[in-house]
């Protein structure tokens, strides 16, 4: 919760591309969030060093502290990711690894996490989303299974996400479901 009692959702985007469709899904989810829900995108996943137990000691790298604090501060995490070679992009997996430690007490522990996204292939990144969900679950997060949006990019027909009402509605729903899951956790 923030100072206004809003539910805070932090989005991790699995693509670093300037014109990333997954980032635009996250932005549309943020703009269309229901009242009382604040959605913010995490910037700078590429600044994290590769996970290495040798550097996961005090003083922990500043970018790792920043990520852990941002996730720790959020009520829930939304992941919007493409699929790379049939699985989760490395930049996202690296972030999950950092969030999984200290073992049993990582910033993602017991945090509700929703996974969605878009990819070129016909199943819209389902393998990546399944692998992301498995990894998040093992890392200690609580995957909200009711959130399922694997958008085959062709469905956009070259239009911006904002021009495809059914996708905007699916994103709004995903945020609502994730926010409701945070209420269950704190109840
Ligand atoms: C290295 C690489 C691997 C990819 N592998 C897959 C894949 O396995 N399945 C798929 O659907 N799309 C794959 N793609 C295509 C991405 O889905 C597509 O580039 C997508 O737009 C990336 O998301 P973004 O727009 O958020 O950057 C791959 C793209 C790259 C660059």
């Amino acid at each position: 919760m923030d100072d206004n009692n809003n539910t805070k959702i932090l989005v991790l985007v699995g693509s670093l591309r300037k014109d990333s469709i997954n980032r635009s899904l996250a932005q549309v989810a943020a703009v269309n969030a229901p009242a009382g829900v604040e959605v913010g995108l995490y910037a700078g996943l590429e600044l994290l060093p590769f996970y290495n137990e040798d550097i996961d000691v005090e003083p922990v790298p500043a970018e790792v502290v920043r990520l852990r604090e941002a996730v720790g501060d959020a009520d829930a995490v939304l992941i919007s990711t493409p699929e790379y070679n049939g699985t989760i992009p490395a930049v996202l997996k690296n972030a999950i690894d950092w969030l999984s430690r200290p073992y049993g007490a990582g910033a993602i522990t017991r945090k509700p996490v929703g996974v969605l996204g878009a990819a070129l292939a016909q199943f819209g990144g389902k393998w990546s989303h399944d692998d992301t969900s498995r990894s998040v679950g093992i890392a200690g997060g609580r995957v909200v299974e009711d959130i399922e949006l694997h958008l085959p990019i062709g469905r956009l027909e070259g239009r911006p996400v904002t021009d495809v009402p059914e996708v905007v509605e699916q994103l709004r729903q995903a945020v609502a479901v994730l926010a409701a899951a945070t209420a269950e956790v704190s109840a």
Side-chain angles (χ1 to χ4, degrees):
M1 296 275 175
D2 68 7
D3 294 344
N4 302 319
N5 270 354
N6 285 336
T7 300
K8 281 174 66 174
I9 295 179
L10 183 72
V11 193
L12 305 181
V13 178
S15 169
L16 302 176
R17 202 165 69 88
K18 182 166 53 68
D19 296 325
S20 162
I21 291 167
N22 285 280
R23 186 168 318 101
S24 58
L25 292 181
Q27 283 159 343
V28 170
V31 169
N32 292 280
V37 183
E38 186 195 302
V39 178
L41 276 61
Y42 189 85
L45 280 187
E46 72 278 19
L47 302 175
L48 288 167
F50 279 124
Y51 186 84
N52 176 349
E53 287 188 84
D54 291 341
I55 59 170
D56 195 2
V57 290
E58 291 301 329
V60 175
E63 282 299 321
V64 174
V65 174
R66 188 168 75 86
L67 175 72
R68 286 175 171 170
E69 286 182 354
V71 169
D73 218 38
D75 298 300
V77 173
L78 183 63
I79 293 176
S80 179
T81 187
E83 180 169 278
Y84 278 1
N85 297 305
T87 186
I88 173 173
V91 71
L92 176 61
K93 179 61 167 52
N94 189 42
I96 293 170
D97 290 343
W98 280 113
L99 292 168
S100 73
R101 292 296 184 274
Y103 180 71
I108 207 161
T109 306
R110 284 186 295 281
K111 197 76 69 179
V113 180
V115 180
L116 53 75
L120 269 183
Q122 60 171 328
F123 301 117
K126 173 137 178 48
W127 289 336
S128 169
H129 301 162
D130 288 350
D131 289 355
T132 301
S133 297
R134 188 173 60 245
S135 182
V136 162
I138 292 171
R142 204 166 59 74
V143 176
V144 180
E145 304 281 353
D146 292 347
I147 296 172
E148 253 201 289
L149 171 55
H150 324 292
L151 179 70
I153 285 170
R155 252 183 69 201
L156 295 175
E157 296 170 335
R159 295 167 291 178
V161 178
T162 43
D163 286 4
V164 188
E166 70 268 22
V167 176
V168 175
E169 177 54 24
Q170 282 176 298
L171 290 166
R172 202 194 58 73
Q173 275 286 337
V175 170
V177 167
L178 188 53
T182 69
E184 286 163 25
V185 166
S186 44

